[in-house]
Each structure stands twice: as structure tokens, then as C-alpha cells.
Amino acid sequence: MATTADIKNGMCIELNGKTFSIVEFQHVKPGKGPAFVRTKIKNLENGRTIDHTFSAGEKIEPVRVERRPYQYLYEDDMGCNFMHTETFEQIQIDRNLINNSDLMKEGQVVEVMFHTEKESVLTAELPPIIDMEITYTEPGIKGDTASTNSLKPATVETGATIRVPLFINTGEKIRVDTRTREYYERTK
């Protein structure tokens, strides 16, 4: 058993029978009244983020999680199929449990988070930066920049649409930040 003093970002806790991950927290000591901890927590079963307030010193139930590397194989009507990179064990994960699943390519290694006591999948996360090829984007017109942050939509090889600078053309390889779905840089 832990208390609110042990809270940190990324920590997984059990609350009302559900598993949550702490996205951010803030200890608040108002001038009048008792201290409390304001948190933003993400439900790992459905992906919703909610605000929750704990009283200072309140007991919380931490959950032991384990992160394991899995390689994405293919998708069928049952879900996305992955293979453990060391044991070659195969599992299926519902696409809703994967963050930014439309950026996932076959053969890509993702980090799958497991609830260690239940041996159930909580989430799957892509690497922070991935390389993609632009399959379609409108050509940028020279002199069409009203500001330095001009962006246009572009479709990448997985079918996902992201926003890229005007100088990026079809067929170029770029790096994408999977957490924010933003253009990172051009690659060779």
C-alpha cells in the first residue's frame, strides 16, 4: 500500500476496480484547509483521461506492470497480432489499446504493458520517433508561405494523415513523433 506522497508520473494504480496510469499530478497546499493532490489519470481499459483529487496522505493501491517488446505482425478481424521478440510467443491486442495505431507498420517493435498479476494487456506504445514515407501530399507552391509555420496535410505509408511543412513532397522519407503525431525531420 502506498500513499499520495509516492505518486509520480507514469505510475499505475488501482482505483474503483479499474487500472489507471498517472499522466500528471500536483501537490496543492492551500492557505486554508487541508493539502490535497490534484491528478490527471488515464483509464488503461478504455483510454479516457479524467481529473481526480486525492486527500493528502490518502492510501492508494499501486499496480505492478511489466513492459515487454513485441513485434507487430499483421491485423485481422480479431485484432492486431504481435510476437514477443525473445520468446516468439504470439498475442492479439485490440486496436483501441494501441496509442496512435494508424502509424504502426508491419515488423515494427512496440512496447506492450502487462498487468503482472492478471497477465492482461493494458496498452501498447509505439517508439517515440518513427520513419515514414510520404505516399501523397499536395505540392508546395513557391512563395506560398504567409508565415514560417505553414503546414499541409500528407498521407504516410500506413494511410495515416499528418501535417508537414510545405517543402515536403511525395516520396520523401520523414520522421514522425508518435506521441504528438507531428513532423519531426526529413531523413535520407
Side-chain angles (χ1 to χ4, degrees), residues 69-119:
Y70 276 81
Q71 184 179 21
Y72 174 56
L73 299 175
Y74 60 93
E75 182 177 12
D76 57 16
D77 56 342
M78 301 294 288
C80 297
N81 293 280
F82 292 87
M83 177 182 67
H84 193 282
T85 57
E86 295 163 8
T87 64
F88 306 112
E89 162 203 17
Q90 290 191 17
I91 60 170
Q92 286 185 335
I93 301 176
D94 184 12
R95 194 173 259 293
N96 299 333
L97 295 176
I98 305 166
N99 298 335
N100 291 319
S101 62
D102 59 341
L103 293 174
M104 195 167 50
K105 297 190 292 189
E106 286 185 10
Q108 189 170 35
V109 176
V110 299
E111 200 170 68
V112 179
M113 189 187 311
F114 281 87
H115 190 294
T116 53
E117 289 149 25
K118 298 177 185 174
E119 271 304 308

Side-chain angles (χ1 to χ4, degrees), residues 2-5 15 52-60:
T3 66
T4 55
L15 184 67
H52 187 80
T53 304
F54 295 98
S55 300
E58 185 177 332
K59 301 261 188 243
I60 56 173

Side-chain angles (χ1 to χ4, degrees), residues 16-83:
N16 301 331
K18 293 184 171 48
T19 308
F20 290 90
S21 173
I22 295 178
V23 177
E24 60 186 51
F25 70 97
Q26 179 182 16
H27 289 277
V28 179
K29 175 68 175 109
K32 194 177 202 183
F36 58 92
V37 179
R38 186 178 296 133
T39 62
K40 189 174 283 195
I41 55 178
K42 181 179 180 179
N43 186 330
L44 294 177
E45 294 166 18
N46 60 22
R48 287 199 183 115
T49 302
I50 60 171
D51 293 325
H52 187 80
T53 304
F54 295 98
S55 300
E58 185 177 332
K59 301 261 188 243
I60 56 173
E61 185 68 41
V63 173
R64 287 198 37 188
V65 295
E66 197 173 285
R67 295 176 183 268
R68 302 178 194 155
Y70 276 81
Q71 184 179 21
Y72 174 56
L73 299 175
Y74 60 93
E75 182 177 12
D76 57 16
D77 56 342
M78 301 294 288
C80 297
N81 293 280
F82 292 87
M83 177 182 67

Side-chain angles (χ1 to χ4, degrees), residues 134-138 152-156 159-164 168 174:
I134 302 291
T135 56
Y136 178 76
T137 186
E138 294 288 331
K152 63 181 178 179
T155 305
V156 293
T161 302
I162 62 165
R163 305 207 30 91
V164 296
I168 299 294
I174 61 167

Side-chain angles (χ1 to χ4, degrees), residues 1-13:
M1 202 57 116
T3 66
T4 55
D6 301 318
I7 288 179
K8 54 185 175 252
N9 289 341
M11 179 181 192
C12 292
I13 61 171

